[in-house]
Amino acid sequence: MSPGVDALLEQARAGLRRLTPHGTVEAVRAGALLVDTRTEAQRREQGELPGAIVIERTVLEWRLDPASAWRIPEATGYDRQVVVVCREGYSSSLAAAGLQALGLRRATDMIGGVQAWREAGLPLSDRPADVRY
């Protein structure tokens, strides 16, 4: 019998040092890679995060694994901090745990997702998203 998605989420978060929206801003200033996994429709509704690279969840591991032939140029090493962001901070926790399992030991996510970012009054970008396929 499956323990369920809530238990899976709790287990994923137990291994993360999750960041607040303001903590995410500081991490990015210090060199962290900000990765937005929201759908195009969600980004249209909520807005774009400044400095984020948009990577669909279905290809996230391939684009961020430094040893992958399909990695993005910013995937420079397993020690690079990666902050994954989603709409409300649930799927990003699972994604960050998956990246840690891949060897990206400093992968984490942002508490509350873009919803919390907006509630914190942080700016959104008016530039087109940096979408990576």
Side-chain angles (χ1 to χ4, degrees):
M1 180 147 187
S2 170
V5 71
D6 290 334
L8 182 63
L9 183 62
E10 184 179 331
Q11 179 182 2
R13 288 179 172 170
L16 301 175
R17 294 189 65 203
R18 302 182 77 213
L19 301 176
T20 65
H22 288 285
T24 297
V25 170
E26 291 303 315
V28 171
R29 283 187 186 140
L33 185 63
L34 182 61
V35 177
D36 187 345
T37 61
R38 293 176 299 149
T39 65
E40 183 179 351
Q42 290 171 335
R43 294 191 330 271
R44 230 183 358 258
E45 177 189 323
Q46 288 185 303
E48 301 291 351
L49 291 177
I53 295 174
V54 177
I55 302 175
E56 292 183 10
R57 179 65 190 96
T58 58
V59 295
L60 186 68
E61 289 81 0
W62 286 268
R63 300 300 177 262
L64 294 179
D65 181 356
S68 170
W70 300 282
R71 73 186 175 279
I72 61 172
E74 294 84 355
T76 56
Y78 291 101
D79 288 333
R80 176 114 196 235
Q81 186 176 22
V82 176
V83 182
V84 183
V85 180
C86 68
R87 182 180 180 94
E88 295 179 337
Y90 294 96
S91 65
S92 59
S93 294
L94 298 175
L99 292 174
Q100 282 189 353
L102 187 64
L104 294 162
R105 63 179 183 78
R106 296 180 63 209
T108 191
D109 77 323
M110 185 173 73
I111 299 165
V114 176
Q115 181 175 319
W117 179 281
R118 291 172 54 117
E119 290 169 0
L122 292 168
L124 295 168
S125 177
D126 56 0
R127 294 182 167 171
D130 182 0
V131 180
R132 308 293 178 92
Y133 295 101

